[in-house]
Amino acid sequence: MIATPTVIPKQAILQLKKTLDNFKLNDAIELCSNEAQTRKFLIEPFFFLLNYVSNDLIPEYNADFGDRISQKIDYAVVLNKKDTILIEAKKHNSRLTDKEAGQLNGYFNNTKNSKIAILTNGISYRFYSDVLEPNVIDGKPFFCFNLSSYTDRDIETLIKFDKRFIKIKEIVETAQEAVFIQDFEDTLFKELVVPSKDLLKIIHRNMNFKTKFNEETQLKMISLINSSLLKNIYDKKVLAEANSNSLGIITTDLEIQAYHTIRTLIIQNKKIDKERIKFKDFKSFFNISIDDNSKKTICKLDFNNSKMKLSIDNTDYVLDHIDDLMKYKDKLVTRTLALIE
């Protein structure tokens, strides 16, 4: 039987966002001059925000190293007397790197029922698991949260670690998905930067224009795989996806260009997560919204007639040229912020 994913109330997410926004980070940092103070004024309050209490945070947790010298990790959270989250603390101004996460490996490998480990300096929190190899921490975190800079999507992920909602199995599944996607992106990127002969051979075999697959052809193909080509392919992919989902609706290059322009203008505000800006084409207009939610429309574009028209919150603006969109940056940002807050 497939377990039903935990449903987290929207109100809980909004409350966490409000609490984080009100957290006086700079005041807390000023109180920290060493690791102990970092724990007291930054790390412990962070977990209190996630509804843990003092008794949940076990300090100087003993990692079982068998016959070796006993070593203690800064904190552990033991859930249901079984699942253990390990927490390694650093001073607030320490630079966290994936290499430092290696220090967690010994604890992680020797702590029963540990599937999640956190490396933190009180400001940045790096969440690790053992997706690639059992009992060995992955080289990169599957989630990072920074108290000084976070998005709504970050909060939606962080709330899953709230004591009231946390399900280790679900989090590990999320980690597996994140690691797979990142590994896929990294591998694809490497192939595109330095195309392998196998990739070139597949592309060449499927081309209509037939030539010999010799060194000259390979070098020519490699020279063509550049950022300009990939941008063109991306735009074609967006158009293909839009048109495949909308019978009888043709998304034009001009509409896609307008979408990219508006999206670029909007995300200059750091409070706005670029991943949440979506579009959907309709027969009579082109809609740009938050999370593809029709109730959270940022603006509408009407390029179907001889004149181009931009509509923001039921107010229409005539465009003489696509570049005229830049005149309405402030209105677009204001509208977007109103929809996400």
Side-chain angles (χ1 to χ4, degrees):
M1 181 180 293
I2 299 175
T4 303
T6 302
V7 178
I8 299 176
K10 184 177 180 180
Q11 187 59 39
I13 299 173
L14 294 175
Q15 182 58 47
L16 177 59
K17 182 180 187 306
K18 181 179 179 181
T19 306
L20 286 166
D21 289 346
N22 291 333
F23 183 71
K24 297 181 179 180
L25 179 61
N26 291 332
D27 291 348
I29 291 174
E30 288 182 4
L31 297 172
C32 301
S33 60
N34 54 46
E35 185 181 306
Q37 291 172 334
T38 299
R39 295 190 205 180
K40 180 178 179 180
F41 296 112
L42 285 170
I43 297 173
E44 291 178 9
F46 175 79
F47 284 94
F48 296 159
L49 293 179
L50 295 173
N51 288 292
Y52 295 94
V53 296
S54 296
N55 290 340
D56 294 322
L57 292 171
I58 305 173
E60 302 300 321
Y61 187 77
N62 187 39
D64 183 9
F65 278 69
D67 295 333
R68 287 180 287 172
I69 298 173
S70 176
Q71 295 193 36
K72 298 179 183 294
I73 191 165
D74 294 314
Y75 291 104
V77 175
V78 180
L79 304 166
N80 303 318
K81 298 181 180 180
K82 184 179 68 172
D83 296 317
T84 305
I85 298 176
L86 303 178
I87 305 164
E88 176 69 14
K90 300 294 182 183
K91 188 179 174 182
H92 77 280
N93 56 2
S94 297
R95 183 171 176 267
L96 302 182
T97 66
D98 294 328
K99 288 184 179 180
E100 288 186 283
Q103 186 177 347
L104 281 167
N105 254 328
Y107 306 123
F108 193 84
N109 187 266
N110 292 280
T111 303
K112 187 178 181 181
N113 295 322
S114 178
K115 300 297 291 181
I116 303 292
I118 302 172
L119 175 66
T120 180
N121 59 9
I123 301 170
S124 176
Y125 293 78
R126 300 165 74 90
F127 295 76
Y128 295 85
S129 189
D130 59 345
V131 173
L132 297 176
E133 185 178 347
N135 299 320
V136 177
I137 281 182
D138 297 325
K140 295 182 179 180
F142 66 87
F143 173 56
C144 295
F145 187 86
N146 194 306
L147 277 172
S148 65
S149 177
Y150 50 83
T151 65
D152 288 347
R153 180 163 293 186
D154 290 335
I155 294 174
E156 290 170 3
T157 300
L158 182 64
I159 193 73
K160 295 177 182 178
F161 292 88
D162 187 296
K163 182 181 177 181
R164 298 168 297 172
F165 311 117
I166 188 168
K167 294 287 187 296
I168 294 296
K169 183 179 179 181
E170 291 182 15
I171 290 175
V172 170
E173 289 173 352
T174 300
Q176 291 171 340
E177 182 70 10
V179 171
F180 176 86
I181 292 172
Q182 187 61 56
D183 193 30
F184 174 79
E185 289 182 359
D186 291 345
T187 303
L188 180 60
F189 176 74
K190 289 177 183 177
E191 278 286 352
L192 294 174
V193 172
V194 185
S196 66
K197 187 174 181 179
D198 289 338
L199 176 64
L200 297 176
K201 189 177 293 184
I202 292 171
I203 296 172
H204 184 266
R205 186 170 62 240
N206 287 283
M207 290 174 62
N208 292 322
F209 190 87
K210 301 302 180 184
T211 58
K212 290 183 178 180
F213 188 68
N214 52 27
E215 184 176 352
E216 181 182 354
T217 299
Q218 292 176 48
L219 290 173
K220 184 175 182 179
M221 293 175 71
I222 290 173
S223 69
L224 289 173
I225 301 177
N226 53 47
S227 57
S228 178
L229 175 74
L230 295 177
K231 175 64 169 59
N232 290 336
I233 291 174
Y234 169 78
D235 289 342
K236 290 179 180 179
K237 177 66 173 170
V238 170
L239 283 170
E241 289 178 353
N243 292 331
S244 66
N245 295 326
S246 306
L247 186 63
I249 298 174
I250 303 299
T251 303
T252 66
D253 290 336
L254 191 61
E255 287 171 327
I256 292 298
Q257 183 183 348
Y259 164 71
H260 285 307
T261 300
I262 290 171
R263 185 169 178 264
T264 299
L265 293 173
I266 289 173
I267 64 175
Q268 288 178 25
N269 187 298
K270 294 183 179 180
K271 292 183 179 180
I272 301 172
D273 183 355
K274 64 181 180 180
E275 300 298 332
R276 300 186 67 189
I277 311 301
K278 307 292 184 181
F279 76 82
K280 187 171 183 179
D281 202 0
F282 296 86
K283 285 191 175 182
S284 58
F285 63 91
F286 184 92
N287 198 62
I288 299 177
S289 65
I290 298 292
D291 301 329
D292 201 18
N293 186 338
S294 60
K295 294 181 180 180
K296 294 187 176 183
T297 296
I298 299 170
C299 65
K300 295 180 180 179
L301 300 172
D302 181 1
F303 290 176
N304 294 320
N305 300 314
S306 57
K307 289 187 177 181
M308 297 185 291
K309 185 172 67 177
L310 168 70
S311 178
I312 305 174
D313 199 17
N314 296 320
T315 301
D316 294 339
Y317 306 94
V318 176
L319 308 174
D320 294 323
H321 190 274
I322 196 74
D323 290 341
D324 288 346
L325 288 168
M326 289 185 282
K327 298 178 183 178
Y328 304 102
K329 174 185 174 181
D330 291 343
K331 294 182 184 296
L332 289 164
V333 170
T334 300
R335 173 63 177 167
T336 306
L337 290 174
L339 293 170
I340 65 175
E341 293 178 347

PDB file of all heavy atoms in Angstrom, residues 309-340:
ATOM      1  N   LYS A 309      -1.292  44.630 -26.525  1.00  0.00           N
ATOM      2  CA  LYS A 309      -1.876  45.179 -25.306  1.00  0.00           C
ATOM      3  C   LYS A 309      -1.424  44.386 -24.088  1.00  0.00           C
ATOM      4  O   LYS A 309      -1.410  43.158 -24.099  1.00  0.00           O
ATOM      5  CB  LYS A 309      -3.399  45.166 -25.410  1.00  0.00           C
ATOM      6  CG  LYS A 309      -4.116  45.838 -24.241  1.00  0.00           C
ATOM      7  CD  LYS A 309      -5.605  45.953 -24.504  1.00  0.00           C
ATOM      8  CE  LYS A 309      -6.272  44.592 -24.551  1.00  0.00           C
ATOM      9  NZ  LYS A 309      -7.746  44.701 -24.731  1.00  0.00           N
ATOM     10  N   LEU A 310      -1.052  45.114 -23.038  1.00  0.00           N
ATOM     11  CA  LEU A 310      -0.683  44.531 -21.754  1.00  0.00           C
ATOM     12  C   LEU A 310      -1.750  44.902 -20.740  1.00  0.00           C
ATOM     13  O   LEU A 310      -2.143  46.070 -20.639  1.00  0.00           O
ATOM     14  CB  LEU A 310       0.681  45.080 -21.297  1.00  0.00           C
ATOM     15  CG  LEU A 310       1.097  44.804 -19.848  1.00  0.00           C
ATOM     16  CD1 LEU A 310       1.413  43.326 -19.646  1.00  0.00           C
ATOM     17  CD2 LEU A 310       2.309  45.667 -19.465  1.00  0.00           C
ATOM     18  N   SER A 311      -2.222  43.917 -19.979  1.00  0.00           N
ATOM     19  CA  SER A 311      -3.248  44.170 -18.970  1.00  0.00           C
ATOM     20  C   SER A 311      -2.721  43.756 -17.597  1.00  0.00           C
ATOM     21  O   SER A 311      -2.321  42.609 -17.401  1.00  0.00           O
ATOM     22  CB  SER A 311      -4.519  43.379 -19.300  1.00  0.00           C
ATOM     23  OG  SER A 311      -5.501  43.582 -18.300  1.00  0.00           O
ATOM     24  N   ILE A 312      -2.697  44.715 -16.663  1.00  0.00           N
ATOM     25  CA  ILE A 312      -2.256  44.452 -15.291  1.00  0.00           C
ATOM     26  C   ILE A 312      -3.379  44.842 -14.342  1.00  0.00           C
ATOM     27  O   ILE A 312      -3.766  46.016 -14.279  1.00  0.00           O
ATOM     28  CB  ILE A 312      -0.979  45.249 -14.933  1.00  0.00           C
ATOM     29  CG1 ILE A 312       0.136  44.981 -15.943  1.00  0.00           C
ATOM     30  CG2 ILE A 312      -0.513  44.905 -13.516  1.00  0.00           C
ATOM     31  CD1 ILE A 312       1.362  45.851 -15.732  1.00  0.00           C
ATOM     32  N   ASP A 313      -3.899  43.864 -13.631  1.00  0.00           N
ATOM     33  CA  ASP A 313      -4.960  44.121 -12.648  1.00  0.00           C
ATOM     34  C   ASP A 313      -6.116  44.917 -13.269  1.00  0.00           C
ATOM     35  O   ASP A 313      -6.554  45.941 -12.737  1.00  0.00           O
ATOM     36  CB  ASP A 313      -4.384  44.859 -11.439  1.00  0.00           C
ATOM     37  CG  ASP A 313      -5.281  44.748 -10.216  1.00  0.00           C
ATOM     38  OD1 ASP A 313      -6.149  43.856 -10.203  1.00  0.00           O
ATOM     39  OD2 ASP A 313      -5.108  45.553  -9.282  1.00  0.00           O
ATOM     40  N   ASN A 314      -6.565  44.438 -14.437  1.00  0.00           N
ATOM     41  CA  ASN A 314      -7.724  45.005 -15.153  1.00  0.00           C
ATOM     42  C   ASN A 314      -7.474  46.392 -15.747  1.00  0.00           C
ATOM     43  O   ASN A 314      -8.421  47.069 -16.161  1.00  0.00           O
ATOM     44  CB  ASN A 314      -8.953  45.064 -14.237  1.00  0.00           C
ATOM     45  CG  ASN A 314      -9.418  43.683 -13.822  1.00  0.00           C
ATOM     46  OD1 ASN A 314      -9.421  42.752 -14.631  1.00  0.00           O
ATOM     47  ND2 ASN A 314      -9.791  43.536 -12.556  1.00  0.00           N
ATOM     48  N   THR A 315      -6.220  46.815 -15.786  1.00  0.00           N
ATOM     49  CA  THR A 315      -5.877  48.075 -16.445  1.00  0.00           C
ATOM     50  C   THR A 315      -5.067  47.756 -17.700  1.00  0.00           C
ATOM     51  O   THR A 315      -4.079  47.015 -17.635  1.00  0.00           O
ATOM     52  CB  THR A 315      -5.050  48.986 -15.519  1.00  0.00           C
ATOM     53  OG1 THR A 315      -5.803  49.262 -14.335  1.00  0.00           O
ATOM     54  CG2 THR A 315      -4.711  50.296 -16.219  1.00  0.00           C
ATOM     55  N   ASP A 316      -5.495  48.305 -18.846  1.00  0.00           N
ATOM     56  CA  ASP A 316      -4.856  47.995 -20.124  1.00  0.00           C
ATOM     57  C   ASP A 316      -3.826  49.058 -20.512  1.00  0.00           C
ATOM     58  O   ASP A 316      -4.030  50.261 -20.281  1.00  0.00           O
ATOM     59  CB  ASP A 316      -5.907  47.900 -21.236  1.00  0.00           C
ATOM     60  CG  ASP A 316      -6.847  46.723 -21.030  1.00  0.00           C
ATOM     61  OD1 ASP A 316      -6.467  45.789 -20.296  1.00  0.00           O
ATOM     62  OD2 ASP A 316      -7.962  46.751 -21.592  1.00  0.00           O
ATOM     63  N   TYR A 317      -2.737  48.581 -21.126  1.00  0.00           N
ATOM     64  CA  TYR A 317      -1.686  49.465 -21.618  1.00  0.00           C
ATOM     65  C   TYR A 317      -1.331  49.034 -23.043  1.00  0.00           C
ATOM     66  O   TYR A 317      -1.041  47.860 -23.289  1.00  0.00           O
ATOM     67  CB  TYR A 317      -0.437  49.383 -20.731  1.00  0.00           C
ATOM     68  CG  TYR A 317      -0.713  49.646 -19.268  1.00  0.00           C
ATOM     69  CD1 TYR A 317      -0.969  48.588 -18.392  1.00  0.00           C
ATOM     70  CD2 TYR A 317      -0.733  50.947 -18.764  1.00  0.00           C
ATOM     71  CE1 TYR A 317      -1.231  48.817 -17.049  1.00  0.00           C
ATOM     72  CE2 TYR A 317      -0.997  51.185 -17.419  1.00  0.00           C
ATOM     73  CZ  TYR A 317      -1.246  50.114 -16.566  1.00  0.00           C
ATOM     74  OH  TYR A 317      -1.516  50.350 -15.239  1.00  0.00           O
ATOM     75  N   VAL A 318      -1.363  49.983 -23.965  1.00  0.00           N
ATOM     76  CA  VAL A 318      -1.046  49.688 -25.360  1.00  0.00           C
ATOM     77  C   VAL A 318       0.468  49.752 -25.556  1.00  0.00           C
ATOM     78  O   VAL A 318       1.133  50.682 -25.083  1.00  0.00           O
ATOM     79  CB  VAL A 318      -1.743  50.684 -26.310  1.00  0.00           C
ATOM     80  CG1 VAL A 318      -1.320  50.425 -27.755  1.00  0.00           C
ATOM     81  CG2 VAL A 318      -3.261  50.566 -26.177  1.00  0.00           C
ATOM     82  N   LEU A 319       1.003  48.751 -26.246  1.00  0.00           N
ATOM     83  CA  LEU A 319       2.439  48.680 -26.506  1.00  0.00           C
ATOM     84  C   LEU A 319       2.708  48.944 -27.983  1.00  0.00           C
ATOM     85  O   LEU A 319       2.105  48.319 -28.851  1.00  0.00           O
ATOM     86  CB  LEU A 319       2.978  47.291 -26.137  1.00  0.00           C
ATOM     87  CG  LEU A 319       2.646  46.752 -24.734  1.00  0.00           C
ATOM     88  CD1 LEU A 319       3.144  45.317 -24.604  1.00  0.00           C
ATOM     89  CD2 LEU A 319       3.265  47.632 -23.661  1.00  0.00           C
ATOM     90  N   ASP A 320       3.610  49.861 -28.255  1.00  0.00           N
ATOM     91  CA  ASP A 320       4.019  50.101 -29.639  1.00  0.00           C
ATOM     92  C   ASP A 320       5.109  49.124 -30.051  1.00  0.00           C
ATOM     93  O   ASP A 320       5.262  48.802 -31.233  1.00  0.00           O
ATOM     94  CB  ASP A 320       4.528  51.540 -29.804  1.00  0.00           C
ATOM     95  CG  ASP A 320       3.416  52.557 -29.594  1.00  0.00           C
ATOM     96  OD1 ASP A 320       2.270  52.273 -30.019  1.00  0.00           O
ATOM     97  OD2 ASP A 320       3.680  53.614 -29.000  1.00  0.00           O
ATOM     98  N   HIS A 321       5.868  48.678 -29.048  1.00  0.00           N
ATOM     99  CA  HIS A 321       6.978  47.764 -29.308  1.00  0.00           C
ATOM    100  C   HIS A 321       7.142  46.861 -28.095  1.00  0.00           C
ATOM    101  O   HIS A 321       6.765  47.240 -26.971  1.00  0.00           O
ATOM    102  CB  HIS A 321       8.268  48.563 -29.574  1.00  0.00           C
ATOM    103  CG  HIS A 321       9.398  47.729 -30.090  1.00  0.00           C
ATOM    104  ND1 HIS A 321      10.255  47.044 -29.249  1.00  0.00           N
ATOM    105  CD2 HIS A 321       9.810  47.459 -31.358  1.00  0.00           C
ATOM    106  CE1 HIS A 321      11.137  46.391 -29.975  1.00  0.00           C
ATOM    107  NE2 HIS A 321      10.897  46.628 -31.262  1.00  0.00           N
ATOM    108  N   ILE A 322       7.708  45.700 -28.288  1.00  0.00           N
ATOM    109  CA  ILE A 322       7.883  44.757 -27.190  1.00  0.00           C
ATOM    110  C   ILE A 322       8.734  45.350 -26.066  1.00  0.00           C
ATOM    111  O   ILE A 322       8.549  45.046 -24.884  1.00  0.00           O
ATOM    112  CB  ILE A 322       8.518  43.439 -27.715  1.00  0.00           C
ATOM    113  CG1 ILE A 322       8.349  42.309 -26.686  1.00  0.00           C
ATOM    114  CG2 ILE A 322       9.971  43.632 -28.065  1.00  0.00           C
ATOM    115  CD1 ILE A 322       6.969  41.779 -26.594  1.00  0.00           C
ATOM    116  N   ASP A 323       9.659  46.245 -26.422  1.00  0.00           N
ATOM    117  CA  ASP A 323      10.519  46.875 -25.414  1.00  0.00           C
ATOM    118  C   ASP A 323       9.746  47.800 -24.479  1.00  0.00           C
ATOM    119  O   ASP A 323      10.244  48.159 -23.403  1.00  0.00           O
ATOM    120  CB  ASP A 323      11.651  47.660 -26.085  1.00  0.00           C
ATOM    121  CG  ASP A 323      12.670  46.746 -26.758  1.00  0.00           C
ATOM    122  OD1 ASP A 323      12.699  45.548 -26.405  1.00  0.00           O
ATOM    123  OD2 ASP A 323      13.422  47.225 -27.623  1.00  0.00           O
ATOM    124  N   ASP A 324       8.532  48.187 -24.884  1.00  0.00           N
ATOM    125  CA  ASP A 324       7.713  49.051 -24.032  1.00  0.00           C
ATOM    126  C   ASP A 324       7.339  48.367 -22.721  1.00  0.00           C
ATOM    127  O   ASP A 324       6.926  49.032 -21.759  1.00  0.00           O
ATOM    128  CB  ASP A 324       6.432  49.465 -24.766  1.00  0.00           C
ATOM    129  CG  ASP A 324       6.703  50.466 -25.883  1.00  0.00           C
ATOM    130  OD1 ASP A 324       7.817  51.022 -25.906  1.00  0.00           O
ATOM    131  OD2 ASP A 324       5.811  50.677 -26.721  1.00  0.00           O
ATOM    132  N   LEU A 325       7.483  47.054 -22.670  1.00  0.00           N
ATOM    133  CA  LEU A 325       7.178  46.321 -21.436  1.00  0.00           C
ATOM    134  C   LEU A 325       8.016  46.819 -20.263  1.00  0.00           C
ATOM    135  O   LEU A 325       7.574  46.800 -19.112  1.00  0.00           O
ATOM    136  CB  LEU A 325       7.425  44.819 -21.637  1.00  0.00           C
ATOM    137  CG  LEU A 325       6.422  44.067 -22.520  1.00  0.00           C
ATOM    138  CD1 LEU A 325       6.958  42.682 -22.851  1.00  0.00           C
ATOM    139  CD2 LEU A 325       5.065  43.960 -21.817  1.00  0.00           C
ATOM    140  N   MET A 326       9.220  47.284 -20.555  1.00  0.00           N
ATOM    141  CA  MET A 326      10.120  47.735 -19.490  1.00  0.00           C
ATOM    142  C   MET A 326       9.577  48.961 -18.757  1.00  0.00           C
ATOM    143  O   MET A 326       9.945  49.218 -17.612  1.00  0.00           O
ATOM    144  CB  MET A 326      11.506  48.012 -20.068  1.00  0.00           C
ATOM    145  CG  MET A 326      12.236  46.728 -20.479  1.00  0.00           C
ATOM    146  SD  MET A 326      13.928  46.982 -21.034  1.00  0.00           S
ATOM    147  CE  MET A 326      13.634  47.576 -22.698  1.00  0.00           C
ATOM    148  N   LYS A 327       8.691  49.704 -19.411  1.00  0.00           N
ATOM    149  CA  LYS A 327       8.095  50.883 -18.774  1.00  0.00           C
ATOM    150  C   LYS A 327       7.216  50.486 -17.590  1.00  0.00           C
ATOM    151  O   LYS A 327       6.959  51.302 -16.700  1.00  0.00           O
ATOM    152  CB  LYS A 327       7.242  51.657 -19.782  1.00  0.00           C
ATOM    153  CG  LYS A 327       7.992  52.211 -20.978  1.00  0.00           C
ATOM    154  CD  LYS A 327       7.015  52.909 -21.920  1.00  0.00           C
ATOM    155  CE  LYS A 327       7.695  53.432 -23.176  1.00  0.00           C
ATOM    156  NZ  LYS A 327       6.717  54.055 -24.107  1.00  0.00           N
ATOM    157  N   TYR A 328       6.765  49.239 -17.598  1.00  0.00           N
ATOM    158  CA  TYR A 328       5.787  48.810 -16.597  1.00  0.00           C
ATOM    159  C   TYR A 328       6.394  47.864 -15.556  1.00  0.00           C
ATOM    160  O   TYR A 328       5.681  47.114 -14.893  1.00  0.00           O
ATOM    161  CB  TYR A 328       4.599  48.146 -17.304  1.00  0.00           C
ATOM    162  CG  TYR A 328       3.971  49.059 -18.328  1.00  0.00           C
ATOM    163  CD1 TYR A 328       4.241  48.895 -19.690  1.00  0.00           C
ATOM    164  CD2 TYR A 328       3.155  50.116 -17.939  1.00  0.00           C
ATOM    165  CE1 TYR A 328       3.698  49.754 -20.636  1.00  0.00           C
ATOM    166  CE2 TYR A 328       2.603  50.978 -18.877  1.00  0.00           C
ATOM    167  CZ  TYR A 328       2.882  50.791 -20.225  1.00  0.00           C
ATOM    168  OH  TYR A 328       2.340  51.645 -21.155  1.00  0.00           O
ATOM    169  N   LYS A 329       7.709  47.936 -15.426  1.00  0.00           N
ATOM    170  CA  LYS A 329       8.403  47.068 -14.469  1.00  0.00           C
ATOM    171  C   LYS A 329       7.840  47.225 -13.056  1.00  0.00           C
ATOM    172  O   LYS A 329       7.517  46.236 -12.385  1.00  0.00           O
ATOM    173  CB  LYS A 329       9.899  47.373 -14.469  1.00  0.00           C
ATOM    174  CG  LYS A 329      10.669  46.618 -13.391  1.00  0.00           C
ATOM    175  CD  LYS A 329      12.133  47.022 -13.337  1.00  0.00           C
ATOM    176  CE  LYS A 329      12.840  46.352 -12.163  1.00  0.00           C
ATOM    177  NZ  LYS A 329      14.265  46.749 -12.082  1.00  0.00           N
ATOM    178  N   ASP A 330       7.730  48.464 -12.582  1.00  0.00           N
ATOM    179  CA  ASP A 330       7.268  48.698 -11.207  1.00  0.00           C
ATOM    180  C   ASP A 330       5.862  48.146 -10.986  1.00  0.00           C
ATOM    181  O   ASP A 330       5.572  47.547  -9.940  1.00  0.00           O
ATOM    182  CB  ASP A 330       7.305  50.190 -10.877  1.00  0.00           C
ATOM    183  CG  ASP A 330       8.731  50.724 -10.781  1.00  0.00           C
ATOM    184  OD1 ASP A 330       9.659  49.902 -10.657  1.00  0.00           O
ATOM    185  OD2 ASP A 330       8.908  51.957 -10.844  1.00  0.00           O
ATOM    186  N   LYS A 331       4.996  48.348 -11.958  1.00  0.00           N
ATOM    187  CA  LYS A 331       3.623  47.849 -11.834  1.00  0.00           C
ATOM    188  C   LYS A 331       3.597  46.322 -11.814  1.00  0.00           C
ATOM    189  O   LYS A 331       2.836  45.703 -11.057  1.00  0.00           O
ATOM    190  CB  LYS A 331       2.760  48.376 -12.986  1.00  0.00           C
ATOM    191  CG  LYS A 331       2.549  49.889 -12.983  1.00  0.00           C
ATOM    192  CD  LYS A 331       1.642  50.312 -14.123  1.00  0.00           C
ATOM    193  CE  LYS A 331       1.516  51.836 -14.188  1.00  0.00           C
ATOM    194  NZ  LYS A 331       0.856  52.392 -12.969  1.00  0.00           N
ATOM    195  N   LEU A 332       4.432  45.709 -12.640  1.00  0.00           N
ATOM    196  CA  LEU A 332       4.495  44.248 -12.697  1.00  0.00           C
ATOM    197  C   LEU A 332       5.039  43.669 -11.392  1.00  0.00           C
ATOM    198  O   LEU A 332       4.518  42.675 -10.871  1.00  0.00           O
ATOM    199  CB  LEU A 332       5.370  43.803 -13.866  1.00  0.00           C
ATOM    200  CG  LEU A 332       4.780  44.025 -15.266  1.00  0.00           C
ATOM    201  CD1 LEU A 332       5.870  43.908 -16.331  1.00  0.00           C
ATOM    202  CD2 LEU A 332       3.659  43.029 -15.543  1.00  0.00           C
ATOM    203  N   VAL A 333       6.078  44.293 -10.851  1.00  0.00           N
ATOM    204  CA  VAL A 333       6.667  43.824  -9.593  1.00  0.00           C
ATOM    205  C   VAL A 333       5.678  44.001  -8.443  1.00  0.00           C
ATOM    206  O   VAL A 333       5.488  43.097  -7.617  1.00  0.00           O
ATOM    207  CB  VAL A 333       7.983  44.572  -9.292  1.00  0.00           C
ATOM    208  CG1 VAL A 333       8.464  44.262  -7.870  1.00  0.00           C
ATOM    209  CG2 VAL A 333       9.050  44.189 -10.301  1.00  0.00           C
ATOM    210  N   THR A 334       5.035  45.165  -8.389  1.00  0.00           N
ATOM    211  CA  THR A 334       4.054  45.434  -7.327  1.00  0.00           C
ATOM    212  C   THR A 334       2.919  44.421  -7.365  1.00  0.00           C
ATOM    213  O   THR A 334       2.491  43.892  -6.329  1.00  0.00           O
ATOM    214  CB  THR A 334       3.481  46.856  -7.473  1.00  0.00           C
ATOM    215  OG1 THR A 334       4.544  47.806  -7.366  1.00  0.00           O
ATOM    216  CG2 THR A 334       2.442  47.129  -6.391  1.00  0.00           C
ATOM    217  N   ARG A 335       2.446  44.136  -8.565  1.00  0.00           N
ATOM    218  CA  ARG A 335       1.356  43.164  -8.722  1.00  0.00           C
ATOM    219  C   ARG A 335       1.805  41.771  -8.264  1.00  0.00           C
ATOM    220  O   ARG A 335       1.076  41.068  -7.560  1.00  0.00           O
ATOM    221  CB  ARG A 335       0.924  43.126 -10.191  1.00  0.00           C
ATOM    222  CG  ARG A 335      -0.092  42.048 -10.536  1.00  0.00           C
ATOM    223  CD  ARG A 335      -1.400  42.247  -9.809  1.00  0.00           C
ATOM    224  NE  ARG A 335      -2.379  41.238 -10.210  1.00  0.00           N
ATOM    225  CZ  ARG A 335      -3.518  41.007  -9.561  1.00  0.00           C
ATOM    226  NH1 ARG A 335      -3.813  41.703  -8.477  1.00  0.00           N
ATOM    227  NH2 ARG A 335      -4.351  40.086  -9.989  1.00  0.00           N
ATOM    228  N   THR A 336       3.008  41.384  -8.647  1.00  0.00           N
ATOM    229  CA  THR A 336       3.518  40.055  -8.287  1.00  0.00           C
ATOM    230  C   THR A 336       3.691  39.919  -6.782  1.00  0.00           C
ATOM    231  O   THR A 336       3.310  38.902  -6.187  1.00  0.00           O
ATOM    232  CB  THR A 336       4.862  39.789  -8.992  1.00  0.00           C
ATOM    233  OG1 THR A 336       4.705  39.982 -10.401  1.00  0.00           O
ATOM    234  CG2 THR A 336       5.331  38.369  -8.734  1.00  0.00           C
ATOM    235  N   LEU A 337       4.264  40.932  -6.155  1.00  0.00           N
ATOM    236  CA  LEU A 337       4.460  40.895  -4.700  1.00  0.00           C
ATOM    237  C   LEU A 337       3.126  40.794  -3.966  1.00  0.00           C
ATOM    238  O   LEU A 337       3.011  40.099  -2.948  1.00  0.00           O
ATOM    239  CB  LEU A 337       5.223  42.138  -4.241  1.00  0.00           C
ATOM    240  CG  LEU A 337       6.703  42.215  -4.651  1.00  0.00           C
ATOM    241  CD1 LEU A 337       7.290  43.562  -4.267  1.00  0.00           C
ATOM    242  CD2 LEU A 337       7.496  41.084  -4.008  1.00  0.00           C
ATOM    243  N   ALA A 338       2.123  41.467  -4.493  1.00  0.00           N
ATOM    244  CA  ALA A 338       0.797  41.420  -3.863  1.00  0.00           C
ATOM    245  C   ALA A 338       0.206  40.012  -3.930  1.00  0.00           C
ATOM    246  O   ALA A 338      -0.545  39.601  -3.038  1.00  0.00           O
ATOM    247  CB  ALA A 338      -0.138  42.413  -4.548  1.00  0.00           C
ATOM    248  N   LEU A 339       0.572  39.272  -4.961  1.00  0.00           N
ATOM    249  CA  LEU A 339       0.024  37.925  -5.142  1.00  0.00           C
ATOM    250  C   LEU A 339       0.743  36.873  -4.303  1.00  0.00           C
ATOM    251  O   LEU A 339       0.159  35.844  -3.957  1.00  0.00           O
ATOM    252  CB  LEU A 339       0.101  37.528  -6.619  1.00  0.00           C
ATOM    253  CG  LEU A 339      -0.795  38.319  -7.573  1.00  0.00           C
ATOM    254  CD1 LEU A 339      -0.446  37.996  -9.015  1.00  0.00           C
ATOM    255  CD2 LEU A 339      -2.266  38.018  -7.306  1.00  0.00           C
ATOM    256  N   ILE A 340       2.007  37.114  -3.980  1.00  0.00           N
ATOM    257  CA  ILE A 340       2.759  36.102  -3.227  1.00  0.00           C
ATOM    258  C   ILE A 340       2.783  36.380  -1.734  1.00  0.00           C
ATOM    259  O   ILE A 340       3.196  35.527  -0.950  1.00  0.00           O
ATOM    260  CB  ILE A 340       4.214  35.977  -3.741  1.00  0.00           C
ATOM    261  CG1 ILE A 340       4.996  37.273  -3.498  1.00  0.00           C
ATOM    262  CG2 ILE A 340       4.235  35.598  -5.204  1.00  0.00           C
ATOM    263  CD1 ILE A 340       6.465  37.166  -3.881  1.00  0.00           C
TER     264      ILE A 340
END
